[in-house]
Amino acid sequence: MNLLRLIRYRFFLFAGMLPYLLGQAVAFGLHKSLNWNYSLWGFVGIFLVLVAVELFNEYFDAKEGGDRIFSPGDIAVPTCFFPLGLLAVVLAFVVSVYLTLQTGWPILLFSSLGFLGAYFYVGPPIRWAYRGFGELTISLCYGPFMVLGSCYLQTKTVEFVPFFVSLVAGLSIFSLAVLNEIPDYYQDRLVGKRNLVVRLGKQKAIVLLKLSLAGVFMLLVLGVILKIIPLGAMAAAVTLPWILKSVKSAEKNYDNPKAFLFAVNTIVITHVVVISSLGASFVTN
């Protein structure tokens, strides 16, 4: 069994680690200091939670039939994924307790919210992804919870600036989550995964995608105008031509999964550029 083949690198690396690094960058930009010990242990904790997310998602999707209903020849997911996911959460909890003792109780709060999101996204009995709240769960966990928690780790305060920045990150990953669900529309319907795309339909989901992407750049512009976000973050505007091509491709190819891959990959790159530009603008400001 090749465990690495079952880990979705795109979400694991880009959507997962970038918000944590963004929080560290914002904290440095605001206070011009960084505790590398806290930063390293925070990275370890987030890494373990992301491993748990992937293990739980693979285990429960395989159990329910999601993501494999049209591809039964895919790699079988071993039952050990569930206990391994629990082990990763336990280890992450130990890290969060250590950091809580060093910095304060909000770390345990942010960590606990992340743990709940990691398991109940697809895990019973709540299964947010099956009830139309999966996208919101993703945007909260990979936006406010992670960015604010990461920033608090360094500043020991909850401030408005990182909260505003976290909204940009959350809305960006929300856009990616919606877009990523469109190719899985039919199999999600068959297994009862009533996410937003299934509830709205593909065409309305693309309208929602447009609104959320527009919201990302509206927040960036508003942040720069109000001097909450450094001007350098507007470097993310370089992705606008790609976004327009991606949306047009999504509208044209929403029933063609292979052709639709261009739209998904483009928005993945856009998400990386947006978060990286934000982080770099605070570090260099």
Side-chain angles (χ1 to χ4, degrees):
M1 170 58 60
N2 189 346
L3 178 63
L4 293 179
R5 289 179 63 190
L6 291 169
I7 298 222
R8 298 168 186 173
Y9 294 103
R10 181 174 65 233
F11 286 99
F12 178 66
L13 293 176
F14 297 151
M17 297 312 306
L18 283 179
Y20 173 76
L21 297 175
L22 175 60
Q24 297 289 292
V26 173
F28 178 81
L30 293 176
H31 299 277
K32 303 304 179 185
S33 65
L34 205 66
N35 185 309
W36 289 102
N37 180 54
Y38 296 165
S39 184
L40 175 61
W41 279 111
F43 185 92
V44 170
I46 293 297
F47 178 85
L48 289 167
V49 172
L50 292 172
V51 168
V53 168
E54 296 300 327
L55 291 171
F56 288 146
N57 285 354
E58 291 291 345
Y59 174 78
F60 285 114
D61 276 343
K63 190 175 180 180
E64 298 292 335
D67 295 340
R68 288 172 174 77
I69 194 167
F70 294 137
S71 52
D74 278 359
I75 304 170
V77 174
T79 56
C80 68
F81 271 31
F82 182 73
L84 285 175
L86 291 178
L87 176 61
V89 169
V90 169
L91 292 175
F93 178 75
V94 172
V95 172
S96 71
V97 169
Y98 164 72
L99 292 174
T100 296
L101 293 173
Q102 299 297 314
T103 62
W105 64 265
I107 288 297
L108 188 60
L109 174 61
F110 289 124
S111 300
S112 298
L113 291 171
F115 298 153
L116 292 174
Y119 179 81
F120 288 119
Y121 176 71
V122 289
I126 299 177
R127 302 200 305 171
W128 293 121
Y130 287 76
R131 300 175 184 271
F133 294 100
E135 301 84 359
L136 178 61
T137 300
I138 289 174
S139 62
L140 287 173
C141 289
Y142 292 84
F145 297 165
M146 195 178 293
V147 175
L148 285 174
S150 175
C151 196
Y152 179 89
L153 192 60
Q154 296 293 337
T155 65
K156 300 181 183 179
T157 59
V158 177
E159 302 174 81
F160 178 73
V161 171
F163 171 72
F164 188 92
V165 171
S166 76
L167 296 180
V168 179
L171 195 54
S172 180
I173 195 63
F174 177 86
S175 304
L176 183 54
V178 170
L179 184 67
N180 195 59
E181 290 169 351
I182 292 176
D184 298 330
Y185 173 80
Y186 294 109
Q187 61 192 36
D188 284 343
R189 280 187 63 184
L190 287 173
V191 299
K193 186 181 282 188
R194 301 280 295 169
N195 54 43
L196 284 180
V197 173
V198 170
R199 290 171 182 269
L200 294 173
K202 293 185 179 183
Q203 292 176 317
K204 289 183 179 179
I206 292 174
V207 174
L208 177 62
L209 171 69
K210 292 178 182 178
L211 292 173
S212 60
L213 286 171
V216 170
F217 286 90
M218 287 175 65
L219 284 174
L220 283 175
V221 171
L222 180 62
V224 170
I225 291 174
L226 297 178
K227 297 184 178 180
I228 300 171
I229 295 173
L231 180 61
M234 290 309 300
V238 71
T239 62
L240 287 174
W242 295 350
I243 292 174
L244 293 176
K245 288 183 180 180
S246 178
V247 170
K248 288 181 180 179
S249 177
E251 290 176 319
K252 180 180 178 181
N253 299 303
Y254 60 79
D255 272 331
N256 185 341
K258 288 186 178 180
F260 196 83
L261 189 61
F262 168 78
V264 175
N265 289 339
T266 302
I267 299 303
V268 169
I269 294 172
T270 297
H271 176 71
V272 174
V273 172
V274 167
I275 304 302
S276 299
S277 298
L278 263 173
S281 72
F282 277 94
V283 170
T284 59
N285 186 42

